[in-house]
Amino acid sequence: MKSKQILLSSPHMSGNEQKYIDEAFETNWIAPLGPNVNHFETELARYSGTVGASVTSSGTAAIHLALTTLGVKKGDTVFCSTFTFIASANPAVYLGAEVVFIDSELDSWNMSPEALERALVAAKKVNRLPKAIIVVNLYGQSAKMDELCVIADAYGVPIVEDAAESLGAEYKGKKSGSIGKIGIYSFNGNKIITTSGGGAMVSNDEELLIKSRFLATQAKDAAPHYEHSQIGYNYRMSNILAGVGRAQLAILDERVQQRRTVFERYTAELESLEGLHFMPELADTKSNRWLTTMLINPAVIKTNPFDVMVEMNEQGIETRALWKPLHLQPVFKHTAFYAHRPNEMPISEALFTTGICLPSGSNMTEDDQYRVIDALKKVLNKQPATVKAV
């Protein structure tokens, strides 16, 4: 009998989503906007510790709105983490801006303060400071926000904190996404909580939030007829999906703990194996461990993540490579890039070529996880399969 497939990160419902969906149907609030949207924004702002939230059709839409409200336009420059999904950078391109990519550092795998400062020094010399800096909190781990904010503030450049993967994580007592000028969340189907598709922009600047909601609803001016003095977008979240989000948000802290438990079980079983290194957690931070990620040292273990993925997939276990740095993507081949340290191999490239993501869903059973662990040990040829204590 064929074993069931173990997915990387599948949706995990709370059981209360249908209540809010039914309310939307019973009150006929089916179209975008409605009570669930209003409540979801209020509840999300309260959770994140920000003044307000603007929920959107996707995390990408939220980044697009964030950059637009900050005044990014054609001919401007936007700095962005290179080690991330392409959706972090695409909205800058939509607006006609030039993207400059910034390397990672090893303590968090996120944006390097060293590289950022060198990029800003170079930009100031030619009077081309960026309009915004997109800092990504990768795989649930916050970047070095204190250092990055000090550097950005010195040059007067706002930070968009892309917390699409780190909702529920904490940085020195603050919720991930609440530290930059604008924070971004994603509720895609594979995220720690989901609305099937959706995102949000949070901020302590009420004017930016008001402007984002205005732009997200086709920029309709206050008039007794359809009046438009600006170009807008159809980016607002529907009342039905916001209802799903409300039920999901209520159990977010539980989901964070479940993902952290998954990570702890992996490390307990695997970290003693020579040649494996798990994603670190900065001091005074709490990663949501959205995905458990690790590096395979090819000098010790004679394989690579891509071969491991093939073998694990043959056993019905979904794994994934780490993000390919955006400065290596064909579509960005002519884009400027600042490495962590000049004349050294970029950290992001080293991570990409040696890293792998393991199944990390909060709805994985313990047996599912031990199946992954055993399969991985066999693939790596490190030691006999684990016999779990009963």
Side-chain angles (χ1 to χ4, degrees), residues 83 103-114 136-148 170-172 263 277-287 289 293 295 340-341 346-348 350-351:
F83 194 41
D103 200 11
S104 300
E105 47 77 28
L106 281 174
D107 294 338
S108 71
W109 297 8
N110 291 311
M111 185 179 284
S112 162
E114 285 183 45
V136 180
N137 296 330
L138 199 72
Y139 300 123
Q141 170 60 50
S142 291
K144 293 181 174 178
M145 292 303 297
D146 279 356
E147 293 94 323
L148 294 168
E170 296 179 5
Y171 178 86
K172 298 185 178 181
F263 173 83
H277 304 280
F278 288 87
M279 185 180 192
E281 186 173 54
L282 289 176
D284 299 320
T285 72
K286 180 181 179 181
S287 171
R289 296 298 184 187
T293 58
L295 306 180
H340 176 57
R341 293 193 179 130
I347 299 296
S348 55
L351 294 170

Side-chain angles (χ1 to χ4, degrees), residues 164-307:
E165 300 176 5
S166 62
L167 177 60
E170 296 179 5
Y171 178 86
K172 298 185 178 181
K174 297 179 180 179
K175 293 295 185 184
S176 182
S178 71
I179 302 161
K181 181 71 172 178
I182 296 172
I184 303 296
Y185 297 130
S186 170
F187 308 116
N188 193 29
N190 66 354
K191 295 299 187 291
I192 195 161
I193 62 171
T194 183
T195 58
S196 80
M201 169 178 154
V202 297
S203 180
N204 287 315
D205 189 324
E206 185 63 37
E207 289 186 12
L208 291 179
L209 292 166
I210 291 170
K211 187 174 182 180
S212 74
R213 296 187 193 105
F214 169 71
L215 292 172
T217 48
Q218 299 289 16
K220 290 185 286 187
D221 293 334
H225 52 272
Y226 289 103
E227 185 82 8
H228 304 274
S229 55
Q230 299 180 56
I231 296 297
Y233 313 96
N234 184 17
Y235 278 171
R236 288 293 264 163
M237 181 180 285
S238 81
N239 194 54
I240 294 174
L241 296 190
V244 175
R246 293 182 69 191
Q248 288 274 290
L249 184 61
I251 46 83
L252 173 56
D253 288 339
E254 180 182 338
R255 295 293 183 256
V256 170
Q257 187 52 55
Q258 288 167 326
R259 298 256 178 170
R260 287 180 66 85
T261 297
V262 167
F263 173 83
E264 289 161 6
R265 191 173 293 124
Y266 276 131
T267 55
E269 294 290 343
L270 297 170
E271 67 180 350
S272 63
L273 303 184
E274 188 179 0
L276 296 184
H277 304 280
F278 288 87
M279 185 180 192
E281 186 173 54
L282 289 176
D284 299 320
T285 72
K286 180 181 179 181
S287 171
N288 72 6
R289 296 298 184 187
W290 170 56
L291 292 182
T292 292
T293 58
M294 67 180 190
L295 306 180
I296 300 171
N297 185 341
V300 178
I301 302 174
K302 305 302 181 182
T303 188
N304 63 74
F306 305 97
D307 288 342

Side-chain angles (χ1 to χ4, degrees), residues 351-367:
L351 294 170
F352 166 60
T353 56
T354 59
I356 191 168
C357 305
L358 302 179
S360 307
S362 52
N363 53 1
M364 285 179 71
T365 66
E366 193 172 336
D367 286 341

